[in-house]
Amino acid sequence: MRIAVLGNADALHTRRWAGILASRGHDVRVFSLERPPADAPAGGAPITVIAGLPLPRVLRYPLAGRAFARALEAFDPDLVEAHYVPNYGFLGALVGRRPLVVQCWGSDLLVSAARSPLHA
């Protein structure tokens, strides 16, 4: 199965999750606006960094929708999995590829949602 993981490539959890899926024989690629750390170990799933504009997060993710849509079109995944509801979950819904799975990490619902009505 071809799986596109939308998530923060700087976050260890995203890289580990994608690596586990890849180790189970899936063709996995991470798509991110953030770069992985330079010292991140090689292996796991390849990471495609989408060049985003240096804008506040509230604008950066929605405005990256077209670039993500093009990248996903080229990869043509069977499944899109987005990590963290307010940013990549929103971006995954905006891109419109289906099926879409959105992973909650906890703080996106328990902490971020309390920041503002927009986050909620």
Side-chain angles (χ1 to χ4, degrees):
M1 178 180 281
R2 293 172 67 87
I3 302 172
V5 175
L6 309 184
N8 182 346
D10 188 40
L12 178 60
H13 297 301
T14 302
R15 296 190 314 274
R16 279 187 180 164
W17 188 269
I20 289 168
L21 291 172
S23 74
R24 294 184 177 194
H26 299 291
D27 182 6
V28 181
R29 183 170 299 164
V30 176
F31 296 87
S32 181
L33 286 171
E34 296 84 14
R35 295 191 174 285
D39 61 349
I47 297 170
T48 299
V49 177
I50 307 292
L53 299 171
L55 298 169
R57 289 178 181 217
V58 70
L59 296 174
R60 184 169 40 142
Y61 292 97
L63 292 177
R66 284 188 183 156
F68 271 82
R70 284 190 301 271
L72 291 176
E73 183 71 25
F75 183 58
D76 194 26
D78 299 309
L79 174 70
V80 175
E81 183 178 18
H83 285 238
Y84 210 72
V85 174
N87 50 22
Y88 286 99
F90 176 71
L91 182 58
L94 186 66
V95 167
R97 295 275 313 204
R98 301 290 184 268
L100 170 67
V101 175
V102 179
Q103 297 283 348
C104 319
W105 288 12
S107 61
D108 47 353
L109 300 178
L110 300 173
V111 177
S112 295
R115 289 184 183 167
S116 74
L118 178 63
H119 286 90

